[in-house]
Amino acid sequence: MNRLPPLNALVAFRAVMETGSLVSAAQKLAITASAVSHRLKALEDHLGLELFERRSRAVFPTAAAYRYASEIAEAFDRISTATRTIEAVGNRDTLSIHCSSSFASNWLLRRLRSFTAHNSEITVTVSSSGSDQNIEGGLYDLVFTRQSNTPEEFQEISLGREKFRPLISPELLDNLGYPKKPNELLKLPIIRSEGATVSWETWLSEAGVPNPIVNEMMVFENAALSLDAAEKGFGIVLESNLLSAEAETAGRLVPIFPEYQQDGREHKLMWREKRGAEPKIRSFRDWFENQLRYDFVDEETYEPVAALVD
């Protein structure tokens, strides 16, 4: 079956499931109880199964009804959210962006104010999650991602390849002293960022520590939490220079053993090629490319530049 059921029947079904009776659903929808009953019957005919047991003037949901109500609830919620959004925004243009939660906290939101200040006619919506979002789903205008391949019909701008090296707060470094060799880090409080694309074991091995066994003090699921813990002096974290740049520029974190930094993955901004000329996307691309001129110096530079701070 590839056609939608009658929408007025779905509304009636949801109202009955929410209120528990035909009469209450009818009052909610401002129609008669008989009309609600007829709409339920139309939905059952469409689905080819019974959703309610009818006893006298009462109806009792079947197991199928409960399952169906649960499945369609998200769709109704999304329609409700979309309605509230369009009512609030009106004819304003909306630019939807998706990125990981760590990228949102540690890169995008720290800079986005300058875009909105010069593009007041655009409403920006930012969605984030713990992982990269597949842009091919078409839910967003723009997606920041670390996926290695750019799908056909998409274009990209690269932020560059992230660099990983240990980071520590200046206060904790003063207390512990600068370690003489990388293997001395194993004796210090270590923070593990599960979202990092370079692990402590890999970094230590490449720094000349054979078969390192890391007993971390704390483990966090993403860079935002890991970097915050490191800034507060809980330990040493191995994280991306792209996400730590603002904290380093402000002096809240400093790198140790930067000579052993390792390449992580490449961050990209992606959009559908056929939509690239849309004013809102073109405006964001122009702003973004200007941001990159301040963010990166050259391939060998690991120190953040002062222009990263507003």
Side-chain angles (χ1 to χ4, degrees):
M1 183 183 302
N2 56 13
R3 61 186 180 92
L4 286 172
L7 296 183
N8 62 352
L10 284 177
V11 172
F13 169 73
R14 181 172 171 84
V16 172
M17 295 299 292
E18 288 180 338
T19 63
S21 76
L22 293 176
V23 174
S24 297
Q27 293 173 344
K28 181 176 183 178
L29 300 177
I31 58 177
T32 65
S34 176
V36 173
S37 181
H38 280 93
R39 293 181 185 184
L40 295 183
K41 184 63 169 60
L43 181 59
E44 290 176 323
D45 290 344
H46 179 90
L47 297 175
L49 54 84
E50 289 188 354
L51 295 173
F52 297 93
E53 294 180 12
R54 291 163 173 81
R55 306 173 195 169
S56 300
R57 295 186 178 181
V59 292
F60 298 88
T62 64
Y66 285 112
R67 289 197 301 271
Y68 193 48
S70 176
E71 291 292 336
I72 67 172
E74 182 180 355
F76 273 95
D77 289 343
R78 291 186 65 177
I79 292 172
S80 178
T81 299
T83 302
R84 290 195 301 270
T85 299
I86 198 64
E87 287 174 344
V89 173
N91 289 324
R92 287 172 58 84
D93 212 349
T94 301
L95 180 68
S96 58
I97 302 171
H98 186 278
C99 58
S100 70
S101 54
S102 291
F103 186 85
S105 298
N106 294 83
W107 197 95
L108 182 60
L109 297 184
R110 298 181 186 276
R111 296 163 174 77
L112 198 56
R113 183 174 58 188
S114 65
F115 174 78
T116 58
H118 292 90
N119 297 273
S120 58
E121 74 285 0
I122 300 175
T123 297
V124 179
T125 65
V126 179
S127 300
S128 64
S129 61
S131 58
D132 291 336
Q133 174 75 28
N134 188 339
I135 190 174
E136 294 177 273
L139 295 177
Y140 307 99
D141 298 318
L142 298 163
V143 171
F144 285 96
T145 180
R146 289 182 296 185
Q147 67 183 76
S148 56
N149 298 320
T150 303
E152 291 185 10
E153 302 180 358
F154 285 84
Q155 291 182 320
E156 67 177 49
I157 298 175
S158 175
L159 285 80
R161 190 171 294 278
E162 58 191 349
K163 310 289 185 180
F164 282 81
R165 63 265 191 270
L167 300 163
I168 189 172
S169 70
E171 294 78 12
L172 184 59
L173 184 60
D174 287 343
N175 292 335
L176 299 177
Y178 200 107
K180 296 179 180 179
K181 296 181 179 180
N183 65 352
E184 294 182 15
L185 295 179
L186 294 172
K187 302 177 183 178
L188 303 180
I190 284 180
I191 296 170
R192 186 183 297 274
S193 177
E194 292 187 326
T197 57
V198 175
S199 69
W200 269 111
E201 288 79 5
T202 299
W203 185 88
L204 287 163
S205 294
E206 293 295 323
V209 181
N211 303 315
I213 298 176
V214 179
N215 295 311
E216 59 271 343
M217 173 174 285
M218 306 187 78
V219 179
F220 296 96
E221 66 177 359
N222 59 49
L225 294 173
S226 302
L227 289 167
D228 189 45
E231 288 183 34
K232 289 179 169 58
F234 286 103
I236 304 169
V237 68
L238 182 70
E239 255 304 340
S240 161
N241 66 327
L242 184 66
L243 302 181
S244 66
E246 194 271 342
E248 292 184 61
T249 302
R252 299 193 302 271
L253 289 173
V254 294
I256 53 179
F257 297 115
E259 64 272 23
Y260 293 112
Q261 68 178 2
Q262 292 182 29
D263 287 346
R265 292 162 66 181
E266 182 182 16
H267 283 252
K268 305 173 183 178
L269 173 67
M270 289 188 182
W271 66 92
R272 243 177 231 285
E273 182 178 6
K274 65 182 181 181
R275 299 189 57 200
E278 292 181 18
K280 63 181 180 181
I281 293 179
R282 187 173 63 247
S283 295
F284 190 88
R285 287 166 47 199
D286 291 344
W287 169 83
F288 177 65
E289 289 181 323
N290 186 61
Q291 292 294 304
L292 294 186
R293 284 196 288 270
Y294 289 95
D295 282 12
F296 295 96
V297 179
D298 57 53
E299 288 296 321
E300 301 302 321
T301 301
Y302 61 82
E303 294 179 351
V305 294
L308 287 174
V309 179
D310 292 338

